[in-house]
Amino acid sequence: MKIFGFSIGDDRLPGELAGAGDAARDRGDWPDAARHYRAALSRDASRADIWVQLGHALKESGDLTAAAAAYESALLRAPDVADTHLQLGHLFKISGRRDAAATAYARAVELDPTLRDAIEELRSLLRKGAKPDASVSAGLVESLRYTRRHRPAPSVAEPADDDRATAIFDVSDLLGYFHNARLPTGIQRVQIEVISALLREPPVEVQIAVCAFSIDRSDWVSLPADLFLDAARLALMEGGQRDPDWQALLKDIALTVDLSPALIFPQGAWLINLGTSWWLQNYFLKVREAQRRHGIHYLPFVHDMIPVMAPEHCTRPLTEDFISWVQGAFAHTRDFLTNSEASRRDLITVADRLGYVVREDQVQIVRLDADFRRPGDTPPIAPAMDRYGLEAGNFVLMVSTIESRKNHLAAFRAWRDLITRHGAEAVPTLVCVGNRGWLNDGVFARLESDPTLQRQVRMLSGVPDSDLAGLYQAAAFSLYPSQYEGWGLPVTESLSYGKVVLASDSASLPEAGGDFAVYFRQGDQAGLLDALERLIFDLPYRQALEARIAAGFSPRPWRALATDILSRITTGQTPPAAPELAIPVATPGRYYPLHRSRSIAVGPGLATGEIFRAGSGWAAPEDWGCWTRDGDGLIEARVATAASRPMRLFIGLRGETQRATPWRLEITGRQLASGALGADQVQWVSRTISPEMIRDGILRLRLIGSDQASASSDTRLDRNSVGVIGFMVCDAADTETRSAFVEALATDDLDALTVGKPTL
């Protein structure tokens, strides 16, 4: 008699039978391996490791159902083995059960946060819309908070659940920056220091929290305070982007953002963005939704208006995205933070160009005169000098990102003139510290073309805080010839270390340096050279300036800057955002494109259709227009029309890229039009809207594409459906406007009809 192909008299032990199964596995004979594993389990069914091997053999044999049962039998006997959950995840993945696979991978990572395969598989599924079991997701997020290796979590007071105002700091751009760089530059430094100060010493009158906007999920999620503080601490330490601790932290952050539930804002909370968000194309769509649902206040910190005021120093994509953000910022808030009088003037100027009215009292100035020194920390100078081959007192320090606006070329010209006049031996080395930015080809070309200049200029990047402190202390003085700034943090930083700084008189720099910096007129190369010569060769003059800094310059702790920011919340009178204020006006006869911004200048003729999108059914705008998400896109607009007069709607639609797309248009629940689009087909639809369809002056237009409701929730992916190119409404009897639209469409000149702006 035989069982599982073996004689009853076979007296081999389970381990021996499992060994025979392993041998069959190694030669690729999966059916034979499965027979041996089954025989071993018939003698000892408690062996979880053999159940796992049986699962492997059955999976490779193509029996996925039996394989899943084997893995689950292993988990019944040893539920805390991360690799078993990983293998079960692989099985569910190839079976098409994406949510179940994500749950298994999440459990594996919860048990072993270092299991890279599970992490990568989980992130891949999450980006595709898979949804792991909520309880497992919550457990994983908690486990990540307490298993980060070698980095004890700081003690952080969690926000209390009470009636105090809530300030939620959005650090989306900071996390995006961390995935490409580690050491922070100016804007990142402000975020790190201000938010860290508030988390370590929470204010009494305001609850503090941190959040991030997930591009993949198009929503905000909470970021644990201790996780943010870990990132802030490690970012300022020595170590490169590939440092294992840094990479482990980035994975923890990514999984937390992917797995945490969507943030539900407390009613009336303040969403404060101290950084940049213009690269997040769906950002303001979600701001509008949060304003309508939760009455939040959006409070941006406008560091500068460089892409508008000095676009020659920016790449075109940056300028386009910034202008789109500027329009959104003015449309979604009455309150602003900025860093200087110069920046406030620029902000009001740009608002005026766009046709918005922003008063001075709506823009609070938070001076960035912070103390960059670490309390009680006086790093030795010698290690930095040895590391970079420098001589204390014999170099001038220029700290800035290497880009055209920072004016390295003017510094190089001045150094070449100094060498010509005084000889290389008499001229100190120019040490330029900063990462590469954009539009800097001329900087490096100038160095490469001049061997003499090369010997007198040092370019350093990736310099940690400890070394930078040593460089400041050892420098003769610092140089900052920037052509445009919102504030100029390196000016304040130099003064914090007691060092004279020579700066241009451009924009905000006189505010940053006050009476303690030395200035030259922007664009005056001779004036720059004269000022350099005096600082280099007149030692008593320089010492007198240093004495003045020591006696009178008093930088503020970062906690004081944080208090300034919060004062806008504790003393401001802005009422909760009313739902109707979030619905913009669509001017009759004006065309509103839904594509990504292509504007490189601001003016009253600038209009956008992005602001009319409502709800969660939209993907991010693209160059041609905007896809709906899962076939349900809502457009809301206020239209000025007589109650008895019909309107005419023109709307451009685009079919899905891969397949035909049925669609229908509804207004206030009533069908207006329907049809079908071929793959990637463009169609312009024109329909008359009767007065009763526009309730209380609000046009609510819903575009419904392919119906995916019948798809399995375990296998469906959120995906794009029928797209919208743009739209226009006008009086149905206005034949002149209707003809102008048709003509513009025929000549591919719809931009001619984008005049003015939507207003709140």
Side-chain angles (χ1 to χ4, degrees):
M1 180 178 178
K2 292 185 177 182
I3 298 177
F4 298 136
F6 292 88
S7 299
I8 279 185
D10 190 338
D11 58 358
R12 283 181 291 177
L13 296 173
E16 294 176 294
L17 290 167
D22 292 345
R25 175 199 64 197
D26 293 344
R27 64 175 182 268
D29 189 346
W30 298 107
D32 192 41
R35 287 198 302 275
H36 282 89
Y37 293 138
R38 282 194 173 109
L41 291 168
S42 70
R43 288 167 170 77
D44 184 0
S46 68
R47 293 282 300 273
D49 58 326
I50 300 178
W51 280 108
V52 170
Q53 293 302 323
L54 175 60
H56 294 340
L58 292 169
K59 180 181 70 173
E60 296 298 330
S61 299
D63 191 346
L64 302 185
T65 301
Y71 288 135
E72 287 166 352
S73 293
L75 290 174
L76 284 173
R77 292 156 176 83
D80 295 332
V81 178
D83 185 69
T84 309
H85 291 278
L86 172 67
Q87 301 304 328
L88 187 59
H90 291 334
L91 181 68
F92 287 149
K93 177 185 170 184
I94 64 177
S95 302
R97 298 174 60 188
R98 294 185 177 89
D99 289 355
T103 299
Y105 290 136
R107 179 62 176 147
V109 178
E110 181 184 2
L111 292 168
D112 182 3
T114 68
L115 198 56
R116 182 169 181 174
D117 286 351
I119 290 172
E120 296 305 322
E121 293 284 5
L122 176 59
R123 292 201 67 204
S124 176
L125 286 174
L126 291 171
R127 286 193 296 267
K128 295 174 181 176
K131 296 177 176 60
D133 182 86
S135 62
V136 176
S137 298
L140 173 55
V141 171
E142 282 302 306
S143 73
L144 290 173
R145 295 182 65 179
Y146 299 109
T147 57
R148 291 194 290 281
R149 296 154 303 285
H150 314 305
R151 300 189 300 279
S155 176
V156 178
E158 296 293 337
D161 184 14
D162 55 33
D163 294 331
R164 291 178 295 161
T166 300
I168 304 176
F169 288 87
D170 184 348
V171 296
S172 310
D173 72 307
L174 183 61
L175 301 189
Y177 175 87
F178 282 159
H179 281 280
N180 297 295
R182 179 169 178 175
L183 288 169
T185 57
I187 293 177
Q188 293 81 35
R189 174 77 60 155
V190 171
Q191 294 179 83
I192 284 174
E193 299 289 1
V194 167
I195 299 172
S196 295
L198 287 172
L199 291 176
R200 292 193 181 101
E201 188 183 345
V204 173
E205 67 278 14
V206 180
Q207 298 184 80
I208 304 298
V210 183
C211 74
F213 188 84
S214 168
I215 296 177
D216 296 325
R217 297 169 58 181
S218 193
D219 219 334
W220 285 280
V221 298
S222 293
L223 194 70
D226 64 316
L227 185 57
F228 175 84
L229 288 173
D230 271 352
R233 180 171 56 86
L234 276 185
L236 301 177
M237 292 176 62
E238 186 173 356
Q241 187 73 0
R242 296 183 180 180
D243 173 57
D245 278 351
W246 180 249
Q247 285 298 313
L249 178 71
L250 294 183
K251 286 184 170 61
D252 287 356
I253 291 173
L255 277 175
T256 299
V257 171
D258 286 342
L259 286 170
S260 295
L263 174 64
I264 299 176
F265 289 94
Q267 193 69 25
W270 291 78
L271 177 64
I272 305 177
N273 194 327
L274 300 182
T276 61
S277 56
W278 47 78
W279 51 283
L280 297 167
Q281 294 297 312
N282 256 1
Y283 190 84
F284 284 118
L285 173 68
K286 288 298 181 176
V287 168
R288 291 193 291 278
E289 187 174 354
Q291 286 176 333
R292 293 186 191 188
R293 291 185 178 183
H294 311 294
I296 71 162
H297 310 280
Y298 172 62
L299 182 59
F301 196 116
V302 182
H303 289 268
D304 56 66
M305 284 285 175
I306 292 169
V308 176
M309 307 301 290
E312 66 273 16
H313 296 299
C314 302
T315 61
R316 181 176 182 120
L318 170 61
T319 300
E320 292 173 345
D321 285 348
F322 183 86
I323 288 175
S324 176
W325 174 82
V326 164
Q327 292 176 273
F330 289 132
H332 291 84
T333 187
R334 301 180 183 88
D335 295 272
F336 299 87
L337 302 170
T338 194
N339 47 28
S340 65
E341 292 285 355
S343 291
R344 178 159 66 180
R345 287 194 300 270
D346 288 348
L347 189 155
I348 292 173
T349 296
V350 173
D352 182 65
R353 290 183 188 177
L354 285 167
Y356 291 90
V357 176
V358 175
R359 303 183 310 274
E360 283 195 1
D361 63 353
Q362 293 176 254
V363 187
Q364 177 169 325
I365 295 175
V366 179
R367 291 172 54 84
L368 302 183
D369 51 348
D371 193 341
F372 285 80
R373 298 165 297 179
R374 297 294 169 187
D377 182 21
T378 306
I381 294 174
M385 297 302 96
D386 293 342
R387 185 171 291 122
Y388 303 112
L390 298 170
E391 178 185 347
N394 196 30
F395 67 91
V396 175
L397 187 63
M398 180 176 173
V399 178
S400 68
T401 304
I402 304 168
E403 56 188 56
S404 63
R405 173 173 58 90
K406 301 297 186 178
N407 215 6
H408 287 77
L409 288 177
F412 291 174
R413 286 193 294 270
W415 242 255
R416 197 63 177 86
D417 290 342
L418 287 169
I419 294 169
T420 300
R421 287 187 183 185
H422 304 282
E425 293 299 320
V427 177
T429 301
L430 175 62
V431 178
C432 301
V433 176
N435 297 328
R436 290 197 179 203
W438 48 77
L439 304 179
N440 55 31
D441 291 347
V443 174
F444 293 99
R446 179 70 180 88
L447 276 181
E448 292 171 4
S449 67
D450 191 336
T452 300
L453 194 59
Q454 284 180 42
R455 290 190 291 270
Q456 213 68 23
V457 175
R458 296 286 304 279
M459 306 294 287
L460 304 178
S461 62
V463 177
D465 269 21
S466 56
D467 281 358
L468 187 58
L471 290 173
Y472 268 117
Q473 293 178 90
F477 60 92
S478 69
L479 174 65
Y480 203 66
S482 177
Q483 299 176 68
Y484 186 104
E485 290 295 326
W487 174 258
L489 285 178
V491 173
T492 306
E493 190 171 27
S494 181
L495 296 175
S496 293
Y497 287 102
K499 291 297 177 178
V500 180
V501 56
L502 173 58
S504 76
D505 64 355
S506 175
S508 63
L509 292 180
E511 295 180 62
D515 295 333
F516 303 99
V518 177
Y519 302 98
F520 70 94
R521 185 166 52 85
Q522 172 58 41
D524 182 2
Q525 191 69 27
L528 170 59
L529 184 60
D530 289 344
L532 283 169
E533 285 185 311
R534 189 174 185 190
L535 285 169
I536 291 171
F537 300 113
D538 189 344
L539 183 58
Y541 169 67
R542 195 168 78 224
Q543 289 174 335
L545 292 173
E546 289 176 349
R548 185 168 67 180
I549 295 170
F553 182 72
S554 181
R556 298 190 295 164
W558 286 100
R559 187 66 172 72
L561 276 68
T563 300
D564 279 0
I565 291 169
L566 293 185
S567 69
R568 194 69 183 184
I569 296 174
T570 56
T571 63
Q573 300 300 316
T574 303
E580 62 269 23
L581 295 180
I583 300 177
V585 172
T587 302
R590 192 165 296 159
Y591 172 66
Y592 296 100
L594 265 65
H595 60 61
R596 189 168 181 165
S597 171
R598 296 196 291 260
S599 301
I600 57 173
V602 299
L606 197 59
T608 176
E610 184 282 325
I611 196 172
F612 296 101
R613 301 180 308 149
S616 59
W618 294 99
E622 299 182 17
D623 290 339
W624 61 269
C626 190
W627 296 111
T628 60
R629 181 58 63 90
D630 291 330
D632 188 2
L634 177 64
I635 291 174
E636 291 187 337
R638 284 189 291 145
V639 292
T641 179
S644 60
R645 298 180 69 87
M647 302 289 290
R648 190 71 175 177
L649 167 73
F650 297 86
I651 185 168
L653 307 180
R654 178 178 175 180
E656 295 181 42
T657 306
Q658 301 294 328
R659 63 174 187 170
T661 313
W663 60 269
R664 70 180 185 275
L665 283 172
E666 294 181 353
I667 292 185
T668 322
R670 298 171 57 180
Q671 181 167 311
L672 182 68
S674 64
L677 291 164
D680 218 25
Q681 179 187 355
V682 170
Q683 179 180 347
W684 284 89
V685 178
S686 177
R687 292 291 188 276
T688 296
I689 303 171
S690 59
E692 64 270 16
M693 291 181 175
I694 304 176
R695 296 180 181 175
D696 300 321
I698 306 298
L699 171 67
R700 289 184 172 87
L701 179 67
R702 186 176 297 277
L703 174 61
I704 301 171
S706 302
D707 183 9
Q708 300 181 44
S710 60
S712 167
S713 62
D714 195 40
T715 59
R716 71 181 289 272
L717 299 179
D718 293 337
R719 68 176 184 181
N720 298 335
S721 185
V722 60
V724 178
I725 299 169
F727 73 95
M728 186 191 82
V729 292
C730 66
D731 191 308
D734 187 350
T735 56
E736 182 177 349
T737 296
R738 293 172 61 171
S739 297
F741 182 86
V742 173
E743 181 179 347
L745 187 61
T747 58
D748 195 22
D749 190 24
L750 287 171
D751 287 345
L753 301 180
T754 57
V755 179
K757 67 170 183 65
T759 56
L760 291 177

